Amino acid sequence: TDFTPRSTSRVASAMTSVMFSGWGAAFGGCVAAAAALTYKSYATAGEKYAGQVGPDAEFRAFQRTYLIVYYLAMLADWLQGPYVYALYASYGFSSHDIAVLFVGGFGSSMIFGTFAGAAADRVGRKTCGLLYAALYIASCVTKHFKDYNMLMVGRVLGGIATSLLFSTFESWLVCEHNARGYDPQWISGTFSLAYFGNSLMAIKAGILAEASAEVAPLHPSAEGSSVHFGGFTAPFDVSAFVLVILTIAILALWNENYGNMRATATTSASEELWKALRALSRDRAILLLGCAISTFEGSMYVFVFKWTPTLTGEGDKPPYGLIFSTFMVAAMCGSSLFGIVSNSMRAESILLFTFIGAAAALAIPAVSSSVAINMFCFLVFETCVGIYFPAMGMLKSQLVPEEVRATVYNIFRVPLNLIVLGVLLNSLSQFEAFAICASMLAVSAVCILNLSRMRAHGYSVRSGAKKETVMDDAVAQAASSGDEWS
């Protein structure tokens, strides 16, 4: 690498040019908006609890117990994302071979994820948090092998770990929050902080991953060896190190909790899965919730695959790293905005407006060739993503039965993974991709609208059941949670 004053000057000049370009202006505007909204969110939280008992020091300590673990888990996940494809390509695999590896990861998440969720409800969320770390460390180790079969094993392990990540940690939080008798409304603040910090972890992970990948070039451990070090394997080593710290944090900070102490002691994982499917089949509200989750998050994955080619116009390539950071700051804006509006609006209402806004934002790029217009639409969508996760987390905490919470969360991911597999196995044009996104987001809006109307017409969360109707054991807790909504 050339580190002469002339080359350093060129790099500095290029960075200055980027920061004072339209891309830099977008980043600066999002940072300013995030700062203003964060300040307003904290001020609004203070107003909310004026004259009444608000979150105390004990609850704040509990929040930290969860957030430290959650941030570490998400940091480890974000560290791997930017360089998975690049590593496979550097090993010389074709685009088709790489696509098959990705299919293996999402396929394993879809197939094994539901059983992983059932295991979390039965053997404990702390235990499965530790299992997440162990599986992801093993997945990171496989990235050092220039061997297709070994890399496929790593993708399968990573798919299972991802299923645990997006069900186990949130399930632990909801169960522990309720078990300790905290005000149900306080959990919205925890979700807002969690997803605000998640965006910060994404930005930090991008910086750490890029820096580690530049330390040393990719090279075999010995001549002719399939084991490689350096280059694009380094971010996975950093991720594994974070996962070790995560393991220590879980052991030190978390106690164990389960879906239902009485039920899980006498039932198998398959019976837990059957209970979850039974709850879904008998509860129209949970079905609507699952449909909304799958379609929104499915559109989010399509967006992840398509934003790069959409913003790559003719001429110089845009600064992808800066654009990604701008997206994350926009998501932080959304998390802070949720903290503001959650004081006066129900989660269903927040999500309805969010889905409508997101559908409009991704409908425009289907027909627009303007990079500036598409970038603006993507920022709006990322803001909606920032609102969505804490709002949906709060709604799921109220609606899904505790005894099968992690299992149901993973069942929601089955159609999501089918959507992702469909995208990976088909080459979609810009119009097709964003038209599908807008359509799925419209479906999400319809689902939430119907869910909101069920409440407005005096029904419990179980479809067709009046409030006085005796519920099935598997959905009784969901019904009582629904009656407590404000």
Side-chain angles (χ1 to χ4, degrees):
T1 303
D2 180 11
F3 289 108
T4 64
R6 181 176 297 177
S7 68
T8 303
S9 177
R10 286 198 301 268
V11 171
S13 177
M15 291 178 63
T16 302
S17 177
V18 167
M19 290 308 297
F20 283 95
S21 67
W23 305 111
F27 178 76
C30 286
V31 169
L37 288 169
T38 301
Y39 175 80
K40 178 63 176 176
S41 178
Y42 277 103
T44 303
E47 296 170 0
K48 177 180 179 180
Y49 298 112
Q52 57 179 298
V53 178
D56 53 18
E58 179 188 340
F59 178 73
R60 298 296 186 193
F62 165 70
Q63 278 188 320
R64 288 191 294 273
T65 296
Y66 172 71
L67 292 174
I68 288 170
V69 170
Y70 177 78
Y71 290 160
L72 287 170
M74 295 308 302
L75 177 60
D77 184 56
W78 281 114
L79 278 164
Q80 300 183 40
Y83 289 103
V84 176
Y85 190 100
L87 176 63
Y88 296 157
S90 69
Y91 281 151
F93 295 112
S94 67
S95 297
H96 173 75
D97 290 337
I98 294 173
V100 173
L101 286 171
F102 276 95
V103 168
F106 286 105
S108 71
S109 180
M110 179 179 66
I111 295 171
F112 299 114
T114 50
F115 294 98
D121 288 326
R122 183 170 184 270
V123 305
R125 282 74 180 264
K126 176 181 178 179
T127 299
C128 284
L130 295 170
L131 180 61
Y132 158 77
L135 290 173
Y136 234 1
I137 289 173
S139 177
C140 290
V141 171
T142 65
K143 299 299 190 292
H144 287 278
F145 292 83
K146 188 180 178 180
D147 179 88
Y148 194 81
N149 292 329
M150 182 65 75
L151 292 173
M152 180 60 78
V153 170
R155 289 298 301 171
V156 171
L157 294 175
I160 300 172
T162 300
S163 294
L164 291 171
L165 173 63
F166 290 105
S167 58
T168 298
F169 292 85
E170 187 176 315
S171 297
W172 184 92
L173 167 65
V174 175
C175 181
E176 199 67 21
H177 181 101
N178 294 331
R180 298 190 184 199
Y182 296 131
D183 189 325
Q185 295 302 314
W186 294 357
I187 201 170
S188 65
T190 307
F191 281 126
S192 183
L193 288 171
Y195 293 110
F196 182 91
N198 180 36
S199 299
L200 286 176
M201 292 301 105
I203 297 171
K204 182 177 182 179
I207 297 171
L208 287 174
E210 184 170 356
S212 64
E214 296 294 329
V215 171
L218 183 68
H219 61 279
S221 59
E223 187 175 350
S225 173
S226 64
V227 179
H228 286 64
F229 295 97
F232 296 143
T233 66
F236 298 93
D237 294 335
V238 178
S239 178
F241 177 73
V242 173
L243 289 164
V244 171
I245 298 174
L246 169 66
T247 300
I248 296 171
I250 292 176
L251 289 171
L253 298 175
W254 279 18
N255 58 281
E256 189 62 275
N257 69 41
Y258 305 86
N260 181 285
M261 296 295 290
R262 177 181 57 83
T264 53
T266 58
T267 56
S268 65
S270 60
E271 288 173 323
E272 291 295 324
L273 178 59
W274 172 246
K275 282 187 177 182
L277 292 171
R278 190 180 179 190
L280 282 166
S281 67
R282 297 189 176 197
D283 192 336
R284 185 185 172 209
I286 299 181
L287 283 174
L288 290 170
L289 184 72
C291 182
I293 290 171
S294 298
T295 48
F296 182 91
E297 296 185 19
S299 70
M300 189 176 66
Y301 275 103
V302 176
F303 166 79
V304 167
F305 295 137
K306 299 301 292 186
W307 74 261
T308 300
T310 301
L311 295 180
T312 305
E314 298 179 1
D316 294 336
K317 291 184 178 180
Y320 297 122
L322 181 62
I323 293 172
F324 175 78
S325 297
T326 306
F327 287 162
M328 293 300 100
V329 176
M332 291 164 63
C333 290
S335 298
S336 295
L337 190 57
F338 167 78
I340 296 170
V341 300
S342 62
N343 295 332
S344 57
M345 296 177 65
R346 292 191 315 192
E348 310 100 293
S349 300
I350 295 172
L351 287 168
L352 178 59
F353 287 113
T354 300
F355 292 155
I356 293 172
L362 291 192
I364 295 174
V367 295
S368 171
S369 59
S370 169
V371 172
I373 291 175
N374 291 340
M375 179 63 177
F376 175 78
C377 291
F378 291 165
L379 291 177
V380 173
F381 177 72
E382 283 290 347
T383 303
C384 291
V385 171
I387 298 172
Y388 163 82
F389 278 107
M392 184 56 76
M394 187 172 182
L395 189 56
K396 287 189 295 184
S397 73
Q398 298 169 334
L399 195 59
V400 178
E402 184 60 56
E403 68 177 53
V404 289
R405 183 177 299 280
T407 310
V408 169
Y409 284 5
N410 273 305
I411 291 174
F412 289 164
R413 294 183 61 82
V414 172
L416 164 63
N417 283 304
L418 284 173
I419 292 170
V420 175
L421 290 174
V423 173
L424 287 172
L425 296 173
N426 293 279
S427 180
L428 300 177
S429 67
Q430 180 176 325
F431 170 78
E432 291 170 334
F434 289 110
I436 290 172
C437 284
S439 299
M440 288 194 294
L441 290 165
V443 172
S444 299
V446 171
C447 290
I448 288 297
L449 179 62
N450 277 277
L451 183 58
S452 182
R453 284 177 173 174
M454 287 172 63
R455 289 266 302 138
H457 286 83
Y459 284 81
S460 70
V461 295
R462 179 178 173 182
S463 176
K466 295 293 185 180
K467 291 183 177 180
E468 65 274 9
T469 303
V470 177
M471 302 295 177
D472 183 88
D473 288 339
V475 296
Q477 185 170 352
S480 62
S481 297
D483 290 338
E484 293 171 357
W485 286 359
S486 59

